């Protein structure tokens, strides 16, 4: 079951260290939830007890342009985690957003971290 988290504190956006998207308790293990900040639709995937426990990619499917990626199924192939898009089943690597079957398709990747039971969206690296 996917959930939706909204960041409503716009003053938080000016924080140079990032903003809080949601609480860790909002995350669903080995599944996705959708979050929104300003115009960004973000799919968060929580994989506890793995090397990287939290991934964030665009929630917008590049093929259908629908906000559905957080509803996709999480899988693993060759030690890499991916999400299968719900409509057309393209598999996107969570680490870099690249589609495994069509290199012209890619999800935007966001930098996030878990800190003090909160999920932080970090500013893009320059």
């Amino acid at each position: 079951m996917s959930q939706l988290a909204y960041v409503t504190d716009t003053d938080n956006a000016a924080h140079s260290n990032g903003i809080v998207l949601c609480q860790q308790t909002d995350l669903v293990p080995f599944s996705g939830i959708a979050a929104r900040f300003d115009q960004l639709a973000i799919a968060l995937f929580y994989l506890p007890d793995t090397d990287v426990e939290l991934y964030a990619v665009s929630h917008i499917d590049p093929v259908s342009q629908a906000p559905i990626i957080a509803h996709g199924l999480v899988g693993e192939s060759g030690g890499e985690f991916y999400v299968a898009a719900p409509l057309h089943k393209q598999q996107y690597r969570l680490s870099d957003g690249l589609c495994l079957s069509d290199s012209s398709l890619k999800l935007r990747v966001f930098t996030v971290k878990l800190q003090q039971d909160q999920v932080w969206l970090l500013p893009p690296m320059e």
Side-chain angles (χ1 to χ4, degrees), residues 7-78:
V7 175
T8 56
D9 180 7
T10 55
D11 291 336
N12 205 0
H15 198 279
S16 63
N17 294 328
I19 57 111
V20 176
L21 278 179
C22 63
Q23 302 301 310
Q24 186 172 355
T25 56
D26 296 324
L27 300 174
V28 179
F30 300 98
S31 187
I33 69 162
R36 179 171 292 282
F37 172 68
D38 283 342
Q39 300 302 310
L40 299 176
I42 302 167
L44 297 168
F45 294 93
Y46 179 47
L47 308 173
D49 302 322
T50 61
D51 289 340
V52 178
E53 290 191 321
L54 186 62
Y55 294 91
V57 296
S58 174
H59 184 45
I60 307 300
D61 180 358
V63 176
S64 68
Q65 295 301 304
I68 58 171
I69 294 298
H71 305 289
L73 296 175
V74 175
E76 181 183 9
S77 176

Side-chain angles (χ1 to χ4, degrees), residues 95-107:
S95 61
D96 61 8
L98 189 65
C99 179
L100 300 177
S101 61
D102 183 347
S103 63
S104 70
L105 298 174
K106 188 173 184 179
L107 296 173

Side-chain angles (χ1 to χ4, degrees), residues 76-93:
E76 181 183 9
S77 176
E80 296 266 3
F81 288 99
Y82 64 85
V83 59
L87 292 180
H88 300 287
K89 308 303 183 226
Q90 288 88 359
Q91 296 173 346
Y92 296 93
R93 247 188 336 239

